[in-house]
Amino acid sequence: MLRRYHVVGIPIRIVVNNFGDHNPDGRIYVLKENEEKVRDLVRKNPFTPVDLVEPLTIRACEGDTVEILFENQLPFDAGMHFQEADYDVFDSDGADAGLNPDTTVPCGKSILYRIYASREGTFFFTDLGNVSSTEKGSSIQGLFGALLVQRRGSTWTDPVTGGPLHSGVYADIHHPFLPSFREYAWYFSDEMEIDDLTGNSPLNPMTNQEGESFHGVNLRYEPMANRKRLIDEGVVCPDCDAEEVHHDSWVFGDPATPILRGYKGDPAIIRLIHGGAKETHVFHYHVHQWLGDPTNTQAEILDSQAISPQSHYDVQPLYGLGSLHGAIGDVIIHCHLYPHFGAGMWGINRIFDTLQDGSQCYPNGMPIAPLKPLPDRPAPPEPTPERPGFPNFIPGKVGFKAPRPPLGIVGGREMTELEKNTAIPNARPGAVFAEPTLENANVVEFNVSAIELPVVYNKQGWHDPKARFYVFDEDLDDILSGKKEPEPLVFHVPAGTVIRFNYTNRLPHILDGDAFQLVTRTYESGYHIHFVKFDVLVSDGANTGWNYDSSVLPGETIQYEWYADTELKAFFVHDHLFANSHQQHGMFGAGVVQPRFSKFFDSCTGEEVDHGTQVTVSHPLIPDYRDFSLFAQDFTMLFDKDGCPIQPPPFPGSEDDPGVFAVNYKCEPLKFRLGEDCDPAYSFSSYVNGDPVTPILRGYAGDPIRIRLLQGAHEESHSFNVHGLKWKEERPDLGSHFNSQQHIGISESFTFETELKGPGDYLWAFETEEDVWLGTWGLIRAYEELVDDLIVLTDKSCPPPRTKPLPCPTGKPPARAEPLSTLPPHATPCAPVRRYDVVAFQTPIIYNSYGDHDPYGIVFALAEDVDDILSGKKNPEPLVLRANVGDLVEVSLTSRLKFDLFPFKDGIHPYPPVKEQAFYPPSLRISLHTSLLDYDVRTSSGDTVGYNPDQTVGPGEVITYRWFVDGQHGTCAMWDMADLRNHRSFGTFGAFIAEPRFTTYHDPYTLEEVKTGANVVLKNPLVPTTREYVLIMHDGVRLEDKNGQLIVDPVDGIIPGIEEEEAGDLLDTYDNGSRGFNYRSERLINRYRELPKLSKLFSSEVFGDPATPIFEAYTGDAVTFCLTNPSERRRAHTFHLHGHYWKFDSKDLDSRVQSFEGHIVAGFTADLRLIGGAGGVYNFPGDYLYRSGNIRWDIEQGMWGIFRVHDKLKSHLPKLE
Amino acid sequence: MSQQSINQLHDEGLIEHFTMGKGYRVFILTPSYPFMFIGEIKDVRDDIVDIWVETTHFSQLENRLWHIHIDNIEVFYIEREGEPEIPRLSEDYY
């Protein structure tokens, strides 16, 4: 079917809330039929949101051809680029890429794009005519939308009128033989320009400083600051503070942000889209869970999901709205990054239990818009005076805080008559209006309190004088007396358990002020929980919309009830009332729903327990295992031993990245671990420095383990890596690929199931540079022989008795490892050996033709290439090694590092910066670490960690690592572990590709066999000949320009430039540094200086080809992109390849198809096997951009390149056989 | 000589084995929900095994008669005298 849309790009004022905050320079896509209407409405309503000013959301069906006539009324060249779509890149790319014709159009002109909607999904569209990251850009000012492609045969209607719908973020989708469902498009965006009602930058009434930047949904935001002003002025709720009522509709009425309306049980899909520019957000949806991959029933279950710029996911709540138990009420949906949440990035899913035909009102008199029941579901009952339905049975007072729930608070109130009429038959504390529990359930009861107590984070006396955390009441005395050390509360229950939870608020009324924060009246708190089933009206531990406020005052106790219906991973718990004020002080924890019939034991004593971050789990049917919980923390507000604040923000109350980082209330900064020799190569060594104070996860070699990974606080992305172990990405799915790295944002939860395959110390680390620098790392220790304080798993034979004493610190570097003395644990004795001689040395690296270069590059290269690189014949590329499944790889590494060639000989590495700069001189030692491969962690991990021997080499020394390729892992990360601070920014990384057995590797231009290279042809007797392109996406690079001047990216690369004062607080430390692919960066600013025309900056006709790799293929060639990020900064990236898509999990045929990779941070690896091969399924020739999806600050800074697909034979490029 | 196919022989063997197991406890894994059963074999009717299920993954599905087709049984163990016991699973933890 052919569908046609006429879309206009227009400049428009975007009013983002009812307080009159607005973007005077907004830009949106709108249907032509609405253009005049929307302009008129905006003219007449200068301070009120206009519904049509929203991200344009249009629809089509799978199999449709969609013709979009795009008309540009914007004051710059613009276009529409569609992700996920099939299209001819010559006429419908919406960009001027490489040698293609320009498919952007100038102001006043139109262009016809033809999009083939080959499959269901979200075809996100945005503009590539103006990728400026400033307010002069397009995306950042609102120019994005989506074509939502439905199943073939679908139709859609307006949920309010039931009539036809041409565009809009809400629709009811119908199908001849599938259930109708509610469709909600939810667009996160960030950093948009905002003025307040008076035309000035909004101020934060608490700090009287400039407010937080825009973080919103569907071009709306509802900041706490605005609502607080109404309290301060005495308009509403004079006894309230701010954060505890931020989401309270009783006080303020409904927010301007999206309210996704439906009836209990309605099937629904939220099309979660990141239209913004910079941040990786975490989407969290209370009460509900969904499959991480909706096409794969064995996918991991989520209730929080990180999303990077220009990426998208489907959130299809299991069991429909209200989940399994049919909860009713207001369910908050928000970005879990607290500063964003506070800034207004939230909305509500409103689940009604009675029919809404337009005759009802909310308690504040605002009419409730009609909502058509889905046609294939029974209509909900009509409201009656006795049973008015949500929210009109709740005894609240408009203008005042929401009432407390009935029954739940000890000593509290009974139900009113209206509440009784709505309640379930056996209403009880914590379960009044929805029955969370199935019959026959096992019941446990826990008593937990929140307390405030100083906590010391490390041996150097870094401490949080106002730490706040949850404790079991039975541990209160021991913790208060110092007998027991505080840790995040983790309780364990078997599946099928009802948890009755008595929560007592023992916190002081006041969170005192200091260099980090202003005095805040945190007078109530709750215990909000993820994953499990609960009555959201009374047990949410939150205060949302027209619900009750299910928190308690100091000294009060509230009873919650939750049902853990099936085995889950760890579920996150935290306070929801003053989370932005005190969660970073430690107010978080987790519950773990273990397999039914599990029992839990203290791993040291063997006593049966029900809580702890390290326990041993025993089960009558499945193997016993060790269970470890790790919580990443940022915004950790610590003071040193002298009482000085560590990394305070510019002013108290600022959200500008205050404090440091930690794990489980501990940190082990590297600056304290230099040792006597001041050599960073031994910073992780327990011989030199003793064990870290951070968690050491203990077991015996061979023990199965489960690592529960969570993030407790507060705003940033972290990258968890374990060296030497790996796990299935989707734990329930045996077909999924292995991983040894995981990006995490606050509230996400992952379980990694693996085993301690051999003895030794395994490094775990949140492994971006600044995280490790500040101490977010620790060990997994696998003992070979029995130790006194670690019980043996009941189904394992007892390890041999101890024959030698446990190692202890010596202050000296350990003995050198002897990798050739052992085989990797899984290596077969007769494995073929593949050898590489690798040299690490310093050499300048030229990043582009404009002379941007790194004069202090440190690279790995094959020994045979060293002379050519040093003589300038070859510009170095990151080293790419390959081997086949079953190969034993022996890599001999030689160090030729010279102290004189390091730039910062005084030991202070100033740029790119990290927090807590300190003396940390460059190491002349170096190593090679790979992820995913099989090796003896004591000899061949490339780490000198814990009590393992030394696996680094100094100048003139050689070490030969042994790695076994135990699976077709594809891309493995590879980097140096000797000196993260002084080496990585200069290029000490590469990639290892684990190929199928019998594969040979060939130069794409000569077809001769090669040993290395980012661009090769793979030949294999069993699988098709394939072009393989390795893309190493890296950041944190220190570049100088052709005149030897330091390039301070991203600021120096911003187009058209920014004022100096704007640059001041624009960046976090981890935004600094240049970036690119494979030691190359095509910074757009260089091109812009030659020709200041934004839409032309990707054009090879104007500028020649970029310096980044040009990968060439013929249409239909089998192609795999091997993508990895070995570097170093914490800002997560998105990768997008125009006109192509691939399976999210290359190993899993059931996995979803997508054209992007999100949350790319240190250790990330993926193999993108292009569906249909080069040119996509239609085999269209042309130049396809590969690029970052981050407008801030990647694309301008050079993170892009070209994939060139030919349809005619080229003499320089042999065809594949 | 039997004219039965190997599949028929295989099915008959299983049916006979389960028939001889009547009155004994059995442990079964299936590829479909709820995946695991522990209970007593009550009867075998054609190629359907009737089991009084004392334990599955979900307590809501226990203490009732399940009819399981033998083709859906991937793994099983019938407990007989003198042989290892199938665990008796209970939830008296707290």
Side-chain angles (χ1 to χ4, degrees), chain A residues 438-442 444 492-495 563 565-566 596-600 610 620-621, chain B residues 27 36 38 55-64 86-87 89-94:
Chain A
L438 297 177
E439 62 189 22
N440 257 352
N442 180 40
V444 300
H492 303 266
V493 294
Y563 181 55
D565 57 328
T566 185
R596 198 169 164 220
F597 309 118
S598 302
K599 291 188 174 187
F600 323 116
D610 55 15
L621 295 176
Chain B
F27 170 87
M36 188 272 289
I38 295 173
T55 305
T56 72
H57 278 307
F58 300 93
S59 61
Q60 291 75 25
L61 305 177
E62 293 171 349
N63 299 318
R64 66 189 66 194
I86 298 167
L89 302 174
S90 64
E91 290 170 317
D92 54 345
Y93 306 106
Y94 300 97

CSV table of all heavy atoms in Angstrom, one decimal, chain A residues 438-442 444 492-495 563 565-566 596-600 610 620-621, chain B residues 27 36 38 55-64 86-87 89-94:
chain,number,residue,atom,x,y,z
A,438,LEU,N,-1.0,-14.2,44.7
A,438,LEU,CA,-1.8,-15.4,44.3
A,438,LEU,C,-1.9,-16.3,45.5
A,438,LEU,O,-1.2,-16.3,46.5
A,438,LEU,CB,-1.0,-16.1,43.2
A,438,LEU,CG,-0.8,-15.3,41.9
A,438,LEU,CD1,0.0,-16.1,40.9
A,438,LEU,CD2,-2.1,-15.0,41.3
A,439,GLU,N,-2.9,-17.2,45.4
A,439,GLU,CA,-3.2,-18.1,46.5
A,439,GLU,C,-2.0,-19.0,46.8
A,439,GLU,O,-1.1,-19.2,46.0
A,439,GLU,CB,-4.4,-19.0,46.1
A,439,GLU,CG,-4.2,-19.9,44.9
A,439,GLU,CD,-5.4,-20.6,44.4
A,439,GLU,OE1,-6.5,-20.1,44.7
A,439,GLU,OE2,-5.2,-21.6,43.7
A,440,ASN,N,-2.0,-19.6,48.0
A,440,ASN,CA,-1.0,-20.6,48.3
A,440,ASN,C,0.4,-20.1,48.5
A,440,ASN,O,1.4,-20.8,48.5
A,440,ASN,CB,-0.8,-21.6,47.1
A,440,ASN,CG,-1.5,-22.9,47.4
A,440,ASN,OD1,-2.0,-23.1,48.5
A,440,ASN,ND2,-1.6,-23.8,46.4
A,441,ALA,N,0.5,-18.8,48.6
A,441,ALA,CA,1.9,-18.2,48.6
A,441,ALA,C,2.5,-18.3,50.0
A,441,ALA,O,1.9,-18.3,51.1
A,441,ALA,CB,1.8,-16.8,48.2
A,442,ASN,N,3.8,-18.5,50.0
A,442,ASN,CA,4.6,-18.5,51.1
A,442,ASN,C,4.8,-17.0,51.6
A,442,ASN,O,4.9,-16.1,50.9
A,442,ASN,CB,6.0,-19.0,50.7
A,442,ASN,CG,7.0,-19.1,51.8
A,442,ASN,OD1,6.6,-19.5,52.9
A,442,ASN,ND2,8.2,-18.8,51.5
A,444,VAL,N,6.7,-14.1,54.1
A,444,VAL,CA,7.8,-13.7,55.0
A,444,VAL,C,7.5,-12.3,55.4
A,444,VAL,O,6.8,-11.5,54.8
A,444,VAL,CB,9.2,-13.8,54.3
A,444,VAL,CG1,9.5,-15.1,53.8
A,444,VAL,CG2,9.3,-12.7,53.2
A,492,HIS,N,16.9,-11.6,50.5
A,492,HIS,CA,16.7,-12.7,49.6
A,492,HIS,C,15.4,-13.5,50.0
A,492,HIS,O,15.2,-13.8,51.1
A,492,HIS,CB,17.9,-13.7,49.7
A,492,HIS,CG,19.2,-13.0,49.4
A,492,HIS,ND1,19.8,-13.0,48.2
A,492,HIS,CD2,20.0,-12.3,50.2
A,492,HIS,CE1,20.9,-12.3,48.2
A,492,HIS,NE2,21.1,-11.9,49.5
A,493,VAL,N,14.6,-13.8,49.0
A,493,VAL,CA,13.4,-14.6,49.2
A,493,VAL,C,13.3,-15.6,48.0
A,493,VAL,O,13.8,-15.3,46.9
A,493,VAL,CB,12.1,-13.7,49.2
A,493,VAL,CG1,12.1,-12.8,50.5
A,493,VAL,CG2,11.9,-12.9,48.0
A,494,PRO,N,12.7,-16.7,48.3
A,494,PRO,CA,12.5,-17.6,47.2
A,494,PRO,C,11.3,-17.2,46.3
A,494,PRO,O,10.4,-16.4,46.8
A,494,PRO,CB,12.2,-19.0,47.8
A,494,PRO,CG,12.3,-18.7,49.3
A,494,PRO,CD,12.3,-17.3,49.6
A,495,ALA,N,11.2,-17.6,45.1
A,495,ALA,CA,10.1,-17.2,44.2
A,495,ALA,C,8.8,-17.7,44.9
A,495,ALA,O,8.8,-18.8,45.5
A,495,ALA,CB,10.3,-17.9,42.9
A,563,TYR,N,4.4,-9.1,46.2
A,563,TYR,CA,4.4,-10.5,45.8
A,563,TYR,C,5.5,-10.8,44.8
A,563,TYR,O,5.5,-10.2,43.7
A,563,TYR,CB,3.0,-10.9,45.3
A,563,TYR,CG,3.0,-12.4,44.9
A,563,TYR,CD1,3.3,-13.4,45.8
A,563,TYR,CD2,2.6,-12.8,43.7
A,563,TYR,CE1,3.2,-14.7,45.5
A,563,TYR,CE2,2.5,-14.1,43.3
A,563,TYR,CZ,2.8,-15.1,44.2
A,563,TYR,OH,2.8,-16.4,43.9
A,565,ASP,N,6.3,-13.1,42.3
A,565,ASP,CA,5.6,-14.2,41.6
A,565,ASP,C,6.5,-15.3,41.0
A,565,ASP,O,6.1,-16.4,40.9
A,565,ASP,CB,4.6,-13.7,40.6
A,565,ASP,CG,5.3,-12.8,39.5
A,565,ASP,OD1,6.3,-12.2,39.8
A,565,ASP,OD2,4.8,-12.8,38.4
A,566,THR,N,7.6,-14.9,40.6
A,566,THR,CA,8.5,-15.9,39.9
A,566,THR,C,9.9,-15.5,40.1
A,566,THR,O,10.2,-14.4,40.5
A,566,THR,CB,8.1,-16.0,38.4
A,566,THR,OG1,8.9,-17.0,37.8
A,566,THR,CG2,8.4,-14.7,37.7
A,596,ARG,N,12.7,-20.9,43.7
A,596,ARG,CA,11.9,-21.5,44.8
A,596,ARG,C,12.6,-22.6,45.4
A,596,ARG,O,13.3,-23.3,44.8
A,596,ARG,CB,10.6,-22.0,44.1
A,596,ARG,CG,9.5,-22.2,45.1
A,596,ARG,CD,8.2,-22.4,44.4
A,596,ARG,NE,7.2,-23.0,45.4
A,596,ARG,CZ,6.4,-23.9,45.1
A,596,ARG,NH1,6.3,-24.4,43.9
A,596,ARG,NH2,5.6,-24.4,46.1
A,597,PHE,N,12.5,-22.8,46.7
A,597,PHE,CA,13.1,-23.8,47.5
A,597,PHE,C,14.5,-23.5,47.9
A,597,PHE,O,15.3,-24.3,48.4
A,597,PHE,CB,13.0,-25.2,46.9
A,597,PHE,CG,11.6,-25.6,46.5
A,597,PHE,CD1,11.3,-25.8,45.2
A,597,PHE,CD2,10.6,-25.6,47.5
A,597,PHE,CE1,10.0,-26.2,44.8
A,597,PHE,CE2,9.3,-26.0,47.1
A,597,PHE,CZ,9.0,-26.2,45.7
A,598,SER,N,15.0,-22.3,47.5
A,598,SER,CA,16.4,-22.0,47.9
A,598,SER,C,16.5,-21.7,49.3
A,598,SER,O,15.6,-21.3,50.0
A,598,SER,CB,16.8,-20.7,47.1
A,598,SER,OG,16.7,-20.8,45.8
A,599,LYS,N,17.7,-21.9,49.9
A,599,LYS,CA,18.0,-21.5,51.2
A,599,LYS,C,19.3,-20.7,51.1
A,599,LYS,O,20.2,-20.9,50.3
A,599,LYS,CB,18.2,-22.7,52.2
A,599,LYS,CG,16.9,-23.4,52.4
A,599,LYS,CD,17.1,-24.4,53.5
A,599,LYS,CE,15.7,-25.0,53.8
A,599,LYS,NZ,15.8,-25.9,55.0
A,600,PHE,N,19.5,-19.7,52.1
A,600,PHE,CA,20.6,-18.8,51.9
A,600,PHE,C,21.5,-18.9,53.2
A,600,PHE,O,20.9,-18.9,54.3
A,600,PHE,CB,20.1,-17.4,51.8
A,600,PHE,CG,18.8,-17.3,50.9
A,600,PHE,CD1,17.6,-16.9,51.4
A,600,PHE,CD2,18.9,-17.8,49.6
A,600,PHE,CE1,16.5,-16.9,50.7
A,600,PHE,CE2,17.7,-17.8,48.8
A,600,PHE,CZ,16.5,-17.4,49.4
A,610,ASP,N,18.9,-14.2,55.8
A,610,ASP,CA,17.9,-13.8,54.8
A,610,ASP,C,18.3,-12.5,54.1
A,610,ASP,O,17.6,-11.9,53.3
A,610,ASP,CB,16.5,-13.6,55.4
A,610,ASP,CG,16.5,-12.7,56.6
A,610,ASP,OD1,17.5,-12.0,56.8
A,610,ASP,OD2,15.5,-12.8,57.3
A,620,PRO,N,17.9,-27.8,46.4
A,620,PRO,CA,17.9,-29.2,46.3
A,620,PRO,C,18.0,-29.8,44.9
A,620,PRO,O,18.3,-30.9,44.7
A,620,PRO,CB,16.5,-29.6,46.9
A,620,PRO,CG,15.7,-28.3,46.9
A,620,PRO,CD,16.6,-27.2,46.9
A,621,LEU,N,17.7,-29.0,43.9
A,621,LEU,CA,17.7,-29.5,42.5
A,621,LEU,C,18.7,-28.9,41.6
A,621,LEU,O,19.3,-29.6,40.8
A,621,LEU,CB,16.3,-29.2,41.9
A,621,LEU,CG,15.1,-29.9,42.5
A,621,LEU,CD1,13.8,-29.5,41.8
A,621,LEU,CD2,15.3,-31.4,42.4
B,27,PHE,N,10.1,-37.5,39.0
B,27,PHE,CA,10.6,-36.2,38.7
B,27,PHE,C,10.6,-36.0,37.2
B,27,PHE,O,11.1,-36.9,36.5
B,27,PHE,CB,12.0,-36.0,39.2
B,27,PHE,CG,12.7,-34.8,38.8
B,27,PHE,CD1,12.6,-33.6,39.5
B,27,PHE,CD2,13.6,-34.8,37.7
B,27,PHE,CE1,13.2,-32.4,39.1
B,27,PHE,CE2,14.2,-33.6,37.3
B,27,PHE,CZ,14.1,-32.4,38.0
B,36,MET,N,8.6,-28.2,35.4
B,36,MET,CA,9.1,-29.2,36.3
B,36,MET,C,8.0,-29.7,37.1
B,36,MET,O,7.1,-29.0,37.6
B,36,MET,CB,10.2,-28.5,37.2
B,36,MET,CG,11.0,-29.5,38.1
B,36,MET,SD,10.2,-29.8,39.7
B,36,MET,CE,10.5,-28.2,40.5
B,38,ILE,N,7.1,-32.7,40.3
B,38,ILE,CA,7.5,-33.8,41.2
B,38,ILE,C,6.1,-34.3,41.7
B,38,ILE,O,5.3,-33.5,42.2
B,38,ILE,CB,8.4,-33.4,42.4
B,38,ILE,CG1,9.8,-33.0,41.8
B,38,ILE,CG2,8.6,-34.5,43.4
B,38,ILE,CD1,10.7,-32.4,42.9
B,55,THR,N,4.8,-30.9,43.6
B,55,THR,CA,5.7,-29.7,43.5
B,55,THR,C,5.8,-29.4,42.0
B,55,THR,O,6.1,-30.3,41.2
B,55,THR,CB,7.1,-30.0,44.1
B,55,THR,OG1,6.9,-30.5,45.4
B,55,THR,CG2,7.9,-28.8,44.0
B,56,THR,N,5.7,-28.1,41.7
B,56,THR,CA,6.2,-27.5,40.4
B,56,THR,C,6.9,-26.3,40.8
B,56,THR,O,7.1,-26.0,42.0
B,56,THR,CB,5.0,-27.2,39.5
B,56,THR,OG1,4.3,-26.0,40.0
B,56,THR,CG2,4.0,-28.3,39.3
B,57,HIS,N,7.2,-25.5,39.8
B,57,HIS,CA,7.8,-24.2,40.1
B,57,HIS,C,6.9,-23.2,40.8
B,57,HIS,O,7.3,-22.3,41.5
B,57,HIS,CB,8.3,-23.5,38.8
B,57,HIS,CG,9.6,-24.0,38.3
B,57,HIS,ND1,10.7,-24.0,39.2
B,57,HIS,CD2,10.1,-24.5,37.2
B,57,HIS,CE1,11.8,-24.5,38.5
B,57,HIS,NE2,11.4,-24.8,37.3
B,58,PHE,N,5.6,-23.4,40.6
B,58,PHE,CA,4.6,-22.5,41.1
B,58,PHE,C,3.6,-23.2,42.0
B,58,PHE,O,2.9,-24.1,41.6
B,58,PHE,CB,3.8,-21.8,39.9
B,58,PHE,CG,4.8,-21.1,39.0
B,58,PHE,CD1,5.4,-21.7,37.9
B,58,PHE,CD2,5.2,-19.8,39.3
B,58,PHE,CE1,6.3,-21.1,37.1
B,58,PHE,CE2,6.1,-19.1,38.5
B,58,PHE,CZ,6.7,-19.8,37.4
B,59,SER,N,3.5,-22.7,43.2
B,59,SER,CA,2.7,-23.4,44.2
B,59,SER,C,1.2,-23.4,43.8
B,59,SER,O,0.5,-24.3,44.2
B,59,SER,CB,2.9,-22.7,45.6
B,59,SER,OG,2.4,-21.4,45.5
B,60,GLN,N,0.8,-22.4,43.0
B,60,GLN,CA,-0.6,-22.4,42.6
B,60,GLN,C,-1.0,-23.6,41.7
B,60,GLN,O,-2.2,-23.8,41.6
B,60,GLN,CB,-0.9,-21.1,41.8
B,60,GLN,CG,-0.8,-19.8,42.7
B,60,GLN,CD,0.6,-19.4,43.0
B,60,GLN,OE1,1.6,-19.7,42.3
B,60,GLN,NE2,0.8,-18.7,44.1
B,61,LEU,N,0.0,-24.3,41.2
B,61,LEU,CA,-0.4,-25.4,40.3
B,61,LEU,C,-0.1,-26.7,40.9
B,61,LEU,O,-0.1,-27.8,40.3
B,61,LEU,CB,0.5,-25.2,39.0
B,61,LEU,CG,0.4,-23.9,38.3
B,61,LEU,CD1,1.4,-23.8,37.1
B,61,LEU,CD2,-1.0,-23.6,37.8
B,62,GLU,N,0.1,-26.7,42.2
B,62,GLU,CA,0.4,-28.0,42.9
B,62,GLU,C,-0.9,-28.6,43.5
B,62,GLU,O,-2.0,-28.0,43.5
B,62,GLU,CB,1.4,-27.7,44.0
B,62,GLU,CG,2.7,-27.3,43.5
B,62,GLU,CD,3.7,-26.8,44.6
B,62,GLU,OE1,3.2,-26.6,45.7
B,62,GLU,OE2,4.8,-26.6,44.2
B,63,ASN,N,-0.7,-29.8,44.0
B,63,ASN,CA,-1.7,-30.6,44.7
B,63,ASN,C,-2.9,-30.8,43.8
B,63,ASN,O,-4.1,-30.5,44.2
B,63,ASN,CB,-2.1,-29.9,46.0
B,63,ASN,CG,-0.9,-29.8,47.0
B,63,ASN,OD1,-0.2,-30.8,47.1
B,63,ASN,ND2,-0.7,-28.7,47.6
B,64,ARG,N,-2.7,-31.2,42.7
B,64,ARG,CA,-3.7,-31.5,41.7
B,64,ARG,C,-3.2,-32.5,40.7
B,64,ARG,O,-2.0,-32.7,40.6
B,64,ARG,CB,-4.2,-30.2,41.0
B,64,ARG,CG,-3.2,-29.6,40.1
B,64,ARG,CD,-3.6,-28.2,39.7
B,64,ARG,NE,-3.7,-27.3,40.8
B,64,ARG,CZ,-4.3,-26.1,40.7
B,64,ARG,NH1,-4.9,-25.7,39.6
B,64,ARG,NH2,-4.4,-25.3,41.8
B,86,ILE,N,14.0,-38.6,45.5
B,86,ILE,CA,13.7,-37.3,44.9
B,86,ILE,C,13.4,-36.4,46.1
B,86,ILE,O,12.6,-36.7,47.0
B,86,ILE,CB,12.4,-37.3,44.0
B,86,ILE,CG1,12.7,-38.2,42.8
B,86,ILE,CG2,12.0,-35.9,43.5
B,86,ILE,CD1,11.5,-38.6,42.0
B,87,PRO,N,14.0,-35.2,46.2
B,87,PRO,CA,13.8,-34.3,47.4
B,87,PRO,C,12.4,-34.0,47.6
B,87,PRO,O,11.6,-33.9,46.7
B,87,PRO,CB,14.6,-33.0,47.0
B,87,PRO,CG,15.5,-33.4,45.9
B,87,PRO,CD,14.9,-34.6,45.2
B,89,LEU,N,10.2,-31.2,48.7
B,89,LEU,CA,10.4,-29.8,48.8
B,89,LEU,C,9.3,-29.1,49.5
B,89,LEU,O,8.1,-29.3,49.3
B,89,LEU,CB,10.5,-29.2,47.4
B,89,LEU,CG,11.6,-29.9,46.5
B,89,LEU,CD1,11.6,-29.4,45.1
B,89,LEU,CD2,13.0,-29.6,47.1
B,90,SER,N,9.7,-28.2,50.5
B,90,SER,CA,8.7,-27.5,51.2
B,90,SER,C,9.2,-26.1,51.4
B,90,SER,O,10.4,-25.8,51.2
B,90,SER,CB,8.5,-28.2,52.6
B,90,SER,OG,9.7,-28.1,53.3
B,91,GLU,N,8.3,-25.3,52.0
B,91,GLU,CA,8.7,-23.9,52.1
B,91,GLU,C,8.7,-23.4,53.5
B,91,GLU,O,8.2,-22.3,53.9
B,91,GLU,CB,7.8,-23.0,51.2
B,91,GLU,CG,8.1,-23.2,49.8
B,91,GLU,CD,7.0,-22.6,48.9
B,91,GLU,OE1,5.8,-22.8,49.1
B,91,GLU,OE2,7.4,-22.0,47.9
B,92,ASP,N,9.1,-24.3,54.4
B,92,ASP,CA,9.1,-23.9,55.9
B,92,ASP,C,10.4,-23.2,56.3
B,92,ASP,O,11.1,-23.7,57.1
B,92,ASP,CB,8.9,-25.2,56.7
B,92,ASP,CG,9.9,-26.3,56.4
B,92,ASP,OD1,10.6,-26.1,55.3
B,92,ASP,OD2,10.1,-27.2,57.1
B,93,TYR,N,10.7,-22.2,55.6
B,93,TYR,CA,11.9,-21.5,55.8
B,93,TYR,C,11.9,-20.6,57.0
B,93,TYR,O,12.9,-20.4,57.7
B,93,TYR,CB,12.3,-20.6,54.7
B,93,TYR,CG,12.3,-21.3,53.3
B,93,TYR,CD1,11.3,-21.0,52.4
B,93,TYR,CD2,13.4,-22.1,53.1
B,93,TYR,CE1,11.3,-21.7,51.2
B,93,TYR,CE2,13.4,-22.8,51.8
B,93,TYR,CZ,12.4,-22.5,50.9
B,93,TYR,OH,12.4,-23.2,49.7
B,94,TYR,N,10.8,-20.0,57.2
B,94,TYR,CA,10.8,-18.8,58.2
B,94,TYR,C,9.9,-19.1,59.4
B,94,TYR,O,8.9,-19.9,59.2
B,94,TYR,CB,10.4,-17.5,57.5
B,94,TYR,CG,11.3,-17.2,56.3
B,94,TYR,CD1,11.0,-17.6,55.0
B,94,TYR,CD2,12.5,-16.6,56.6
B,94,TYR,CE1,11.8,-17.3,54.0
B,94,TYR,CE2,13.4,-16.3,55.6
B,94,TYR,CZ,13.1,-16.7,54.3
B,94,TYR,OH,13.9,-16.4,53.3
